[in-house]
Amino acid sequence: MKNIFFTVALFFATYYTFSQCACCAGAGIGSTNGDYNNGILTLPKKTFVLEAYSDFRTIKNGDAPEGEEKLLTSMQINSIGMRYGITDKFTISALLPQVRLFTNNGSDNGNGDLILLGTYNFYQKNSFNFAIQGGFELPTGVQKESTFDNTTIIVGSGSYDPMIGILASKKWDKLTLNSNVLYKKTNPGFQNNYYGSLSTQSLTLSYRVKGETSICSIEKLDSKSNSNFGLNTNFGYYGEWLDKLTEDGMVDDNSGHYLGLANLGATISYKKWAIPVTFSQPVINKMNGTQNDFGYRFRIGIIRAF
């Protein structure tokens, strides 16, 4: 049986949680998403950020036969989140996704798992930053056996899952390089099923086309921008490994994958607002067993700093 398994809430959240900064005239979001980032890994002290995203992805179904579980044609993941700078070196964040899945026989929708994270930037020198990140995925998502029982997607895991990661960035005038690695240890959840541990990796290079360095600058956190308008472009790579799932005590050999995406994007910012746009195309679709490949991904967001 063709089987597509995808922990939607975490996959979306990992695009959000890394290397984040969204302030005046230089806003950006997670480097794993390929969006522009100005090189710092935490928000300035007492900076508060609200953000919303819409993420659309296609699935390559081809002529795959369908069983009781209906195959996906596409998915849309809308999300709201917040971040707050406790200190200049420590930022907390939260993200709640809402998932909508489309098949040839209708659609389903429901909330995904809530992500709570903390990021600590413990090394900063010569525009180089290194940080660690940790947190939990909380079981707020919809159970597959309820509204999502007729699809091949797992939205909520039903377990409390720890997450840990490392982040690094280097800035040269208008260029910024960001990289990170994250691991989530998935515990048994709904009906004692195991829905796959996950690891992500990313590398993104961004270029500041227009606009001065924002108040999120590494060098001058308290400086003011000389321009209200900013434009940044970026390209990069995002990789994701997902373990095989286990349901009813049996390992599903047609689940789990390694996915690699090439990202191309831009961020337009004005004062304390920013709009990041990213287009992603898979370059690696290594699926375990018999599964359909992922298609392209388009993502747009809106960010407001206070």
Side-chain angles (χ1 to χ4, degrees), residues 113 135-139 157-163 184-188:
D113 287 342
F136 287 91
E137 181 183 80
L138 306 184
S157 65
S159 60
Y160 292 86
D161 303 326
M163 304 167 66
K184 185 199 77 163
K185 173 64 173 70
T186 299
N187 294 309

Side-chain angles (χ1 to χ4, degrees), residues 200-216:
T200 63
Q201 319 87 40
S202 76
L203 184 67
T204 302
L205 182 67
S206 64
Y207 177 74
R208 176 165 52 89
V209 178
K210 182 178 178 59
E212 301 297 330
T213 304
S214 75
I215 62 170
C216 284

Side-chain angles (χ1 to χ4, degrees), residues 30-37 172 174-179 202-209 232-238 261-267 277-281 297:
S31 63
T32 47
N33 188 39
D35 298 308
Y36 168 71
N37 181 270
W172 304 271
K174 293 186 176 183
L175 287 174
T176 303
L177 184 66
N178 298 280
S179 64
S202 76
L203 184 67
T204 302
L205 182 67
S206 64
Y207 177 74
R208 176 165 52 89
V209 178
N232 300 274
T233 60
N234 62 79
F235 69 92
Y237 175 82
Y238 168 82
L261 295 172
N263 301 323
L264 180 64
T267 296
V277 179
T278 304
F279 179 81
S280 303
Q281 180 68 34
R297 183 180 68 91

Side-chain angles (χ1 to χ4, degrees), residues 124-192:
Q124 178 179 317
K125 185 177 181 181
N126 297 327
S127 297
F128 175 78
N129 283 252
F130 192 84
I132 57 174
Q133 191 170 59
F136 287 91
E137 181 183 80
L138 306 184
T140 59
V142 175
Q143 185 176 357
K144 182 175 184 289
E145 285 74 12
S146 54
T147 60
F148 284 82
D149 194 39
N150 66 336
T151 63
T152 57
I153 284 288
I154 305 299
V155 177
S157 65
S159 60
Y160 292 86
D161 303 326
M163 304 167 66
I164 187 169
I166 57 174
L167 308 87
S169 69
K170 174 63 177 177
K171 190 174 184 297
W172 304 271
D173 191 21
K174 293 186 176 183
L175 287 174
T176 303
L177 184 66
N178 298 280
S179 64
N180 57 71
V181 177
L182 177 82
Y183 177 75
K184 185 199 77 163
K185 173 64 173 70
T186 299
N187 294 309
F190 292 125
Q191 299 180 4
N192 206 35

Side-chain angles (χ1 to χ4, degrees), residues 21-29 36 49-53 83 230 232 266-277 300-305:
C21 183
C23 293
C24 305
I29 60 174
Y36 168 71
V49 170
L50 291 176
E51 46 206 343
Y53 309 100
R83 287 175 278 129
N232 300 274
T267 296
I268 299 173
S269 59
Y270 180 74
K271 294 185 178 181
K272 294 188 177 184
W273 294 88
I275 299 176
V277 179
I300 187 170
I302 184 167
I303 304 169
R304 176 65 161 91

Side-chain angles (χ1 to χ4, degrees), residues 6 9-10 21 39 46 51 58 64 66 97 121 132 189 211 229 237 283:
F6 190 53
L10 180 63
C21 183
K46 296 184 179 180
E51 46 206 343
T58 61
E66 288 189 321
N121 187 5
I132 57 174
F229 175 79
Y237 175 82
V283 292

